[in-house]
Amino acid sequence: MADVNLIDKILSSYSHFTKLEKKVADFVLENPQEVLDLTISDLAERCGVGDTTVFRFCRSLKLGGYQDFKLSLALSTHSREMLDINANVDVADSRDIREISQKILSVYTAALNHAYNYLNFEAVSRTVDQIISANQIYLYGFGGSAITSLEMQNKFLRLIPNISFTSDAHMQLTSATLLRPGDLAIIFCNSGMTKDCIQIAKSVRESGGTTVFITSFLKTPAAPYADILLQCGAREGPMQGGSISAIASQMYMVDILYAELFRRMNGDAEINKQKTSQAIAEKML
């Protein structure tokens, strides 16, 4: 993907665009947020040009195509909004461990409050509906989100047996293409702009599976391929992957989904939890 600051690149390249490409550039500069929700044909129609003109405009910016353009635009338009001032703790001027501990506590508190304030309870309920009815559940995530996916697998295996996760990127991309109707993919992607996560969502859609995309930003290029968009996570920048805020928010969401599933399963949840606890009891001293 090309430069993160695509807006500046469009401005600096403006004089080199053709007359028709300038029409596309003008629309993008005036309506960057709106463009994130448009297909290439939609944008062409809004600009009064053909699809090929939009494609040439993308290539003029040294981008591979329209999808790369939207990813770069999303990074640019969200660059300020995404910066989480609490994502990194400034410990350089901290006097002692107590002060550092207080600063980190404030980060966790702010992250959880942010996650709660943006919860869509209806989307959470629909997600649990899908978990209950799914034939197989596959978890996806990279970097810090892989940690969340592994934790969700470990926690949910105490209640249900049909949930799995692999940390290997190639295996994740491969398995997404083989999902069937009735299977569920849950994708953790805080920024909403990780190429592999978007490709997984697209592959699951093409294979007939159902996708829950858990992200901090609802205006993600993965939106057209997601059945449920579940907003959760810190507004970290693209270079802040795995921040305390992001992981804390995702873990909070996992616990909410787990608790709601436990409630819906009634007595079966308690029985299954006892069975799984007994199965590992022999491993304890």
PDB file of all heavy atoms in Angstrom, residues 2 23 37 40 159 166 182 215 223 253:
ATOM      1  N   ALA A   2       0.419   2.284  -0.590  1.00  0.00           N
ATOM      2  CA  ALA A   2       1.233   3.476  -0.771  1.00  0.00           C
ATOM      3  C   ALA A   2       1.227   4.338   0.483  1.00  0.00           C
ATOM      4  O   ALA A   2       0.847   3.914   1.554  1.00  0.00           O
ATOM      5  CB  ALA A   2       0.726   4.276  -1.970  1.00  0.00           C
ATOM      6  N   LYS A  23     -11.393  15.580 -11.784  1.00  0.00           N
ATOM      7  CA  LYS A  23     -12.771  15.526 -11.294  1.00  0.00           C
ATOM      8  C   LYS A  23     -12.872  14.509 -10.148  1.00  0.00           C
ATOM      9  O   LYS A  23     -13.564  14.734  -9.155  1.00  0.00           O
ATOM     10  CB  LYS A  23     -13.729  15.160 -12.421  1.00  0.00           C
ATOM     11  CG  LYS A  23     -13.803  16.197 -13.533  1.00  0.00           C
ATOM     12  CD  LYS A  23     -14.737  15.774 -14.654  1.00  0.00           C
ATOM     13  CE  LYS A  23     -16.178  15.789 -14.200  1.00  0.00           C
ATOM     14  NZ  LYS A  23     -17.117  15.520 -15.328  1.00  0.00           N
ATOM     15  N   ASP A  37     -17.320   4.653   1.598  1.00  0.00           N
ATOM     16  CA  ASP A  37     -18.494   3.783   1.496  1.00  0.00           C
ATOM     17  C   ASP A  37     -18.913   3.525   0.052  1.00  0.00           C
ATOM     18  O   ASP A  37     -19.936   2.877  -0.193  1.00  0.00           O
ATOM     19  CB  ASP A  37     -19.681   4.406   2.241  1.00  0.00           C
ATOM     20  CG  ASP A  37     -19.450   4.458   3.739  1.00  0.00           C
ATOM     21  OD1 ASP A  37     -18.807   3.527   4.259  1.00  0.00           O
ATOM     22  OD2 ASP A  37     -19.902   5.412   4.384  1.00  0.00           O
ATOM     23  N   ILE A  40     -16.266   1.393  -6.751  1.00  0.00           N
ATOM     24  CA  ILE A  40     -15.608   2.120  -7.835  1.00  0.00           C
ATOM     25  C   ILE A  40     -16.641   2.685  -8.816  1.00  0.00           C
ATOM     26  O   ILE A  40     -16.496   3.800  -9.317  1.00  0.00           O
ATOM     27  CB  ILE A  40     -14.584   1.221  -8.566  1.00  0.00           C
ATOM     28  CG1 ILE A  40     -13.774   2.060  -9.572  1.00  0.00           C
ATOM     29  CG2 ILE A  40     -15.249   0.038  -9.232  1.00  0.00           C
ATOM     30  CD1 ILE A  40     -12.592   1.299 -10.161  1.00  0.00           C
ATOM     31  N   LEU A 159     -17.170 -24.095  27.097  1.00  0.00           N
ATOM     32  CA  LEU A 159     -18.624 -24.194  26.938  1.00  0.00           C
ATOM     33  C   LEU A 159     -19.040 -24.930  25.670  1.00  0.00           C
ATOM     34  O   LEU A 159     -20.042 -25.648  25.667  1.00  0.00           O
ATOM     35  CB  LEU A 159     -19.252 -22.789  26.922  1.00  0.00           C
ATOM     36  CG  LEU A 159     -18.988 -21.873  28.118  1.00  0.00           C
ATOM     37  CD1 LEU A 159     -19.736 -20.562  27.932  1.00  0.00           C
ATOM     38  CD2 LEU A 159     -19.393 -22.544  29.418  1.00  0.00           C
ATOM     39  N   THR A 166      -6.042 -20.681  14.589  1.00  0.00           N
ATOM     40  CA  THR A 166      -4.643 -20.958  14.285  1.00  0.00           C
ATOM     41  C   THR A 166      -3.917 -19.633  14.125  1.00  0.00           C
ATOM     42  O   THR A 166      -4.458 -18.692  13.535  1.00  0.00           O
ATOM     43  CB  THR A 166      -4.479 -21.800  13.014  1.00  0.00           C
ATOM     44  OG1 THR A 166      -3.081 -21.934  12.719  1.00  0.00           O
ATOM     45  CG2 THR A 166      -5.180 -21.164  11.820  1.00  0.00           C
ATOM     46  N   GLY A 182     -23.517 -21.844   7.170  1.00  0.00           N
ATOM     47  CA  GLY A 182     -23.706 -22.367   8.518  1.00  0.00           C
ATOM     48  C   GLY A 182     -22.474 -22.226   9.385  1.00  0.00           C
ATOM     49  O   GLY A 182     -22.552 -22.338  10.609  1.00  0.00           O
ATOM     50  N   THR A 215     -14.111  -4.436  15.190  1.00  0.00           N
ATOM     51  CA  THR A 215     -13.175  -3.376  14.853  1.00  0.00           C
ATOM     52  C   THR A 215     -13.524  -2.104  15.604  1.00  0.00           C
ATOM     53  O   THR A 215     -14.636  -1.972  16.139  1.00  0.00           O
ATOM     54  CB  THR A 215     -13.205  -3.106  13.341  1.00  0.00           C
ATOM     55  OG1 THR A 215     -12.296  -2.054  13.022  1.00  0.00           O
ATOM     56  CG2 THR A 215     -14.596  -2.721  12.878  1.00  0.00           C
ATOM     57  N   ALA A 223     -16.450  -3.698   5.468  1.00  0.00           N
ATOM     58  CA  ALA A 223     -17.887  -3.594   5.724  1.00  0.00           C
ATOM     59  C   ALA A 223     -18.759  -4.311   4.685  1.00  0.00           C
ATOM     60  O   ALA A 223     -19.723  -4.983   5.056  1.00  0.00           O
ATOM     61  CB  ALA A 223     -18.288  -2.126   5.844  1.00  0.00           C
ATOM     62  N   MET A 253     -14.659  -7.302  25.177  1.00  0.00           N
ATOM     63  CA  MET A 253     -15.690  -7.793  24.278  1.00  0.00           C
ATOM     64  C   MET A 253     -15.806  -9.315  24.349  1.00  0.00           C
ATOM     65  O   MET A 253     -16.912  -9.878  24.349  1.00  0.00           O
ATOM     66  CB  MET A 253     -15.390  -7.354  22.839  1.00  0.00           C
ATOM     67  CG  MET A 253     -16.387  -7.880  21.800  1.00  0.00           C
ATOM     68  SD  MET A 253     -18.085  -7.343  22.129  1.00  0.00           S
ATOM     69  CE  MET A 253     -17.939  -5.587  21.739  1.00  0.00           C
TER      70      MET A 253
END
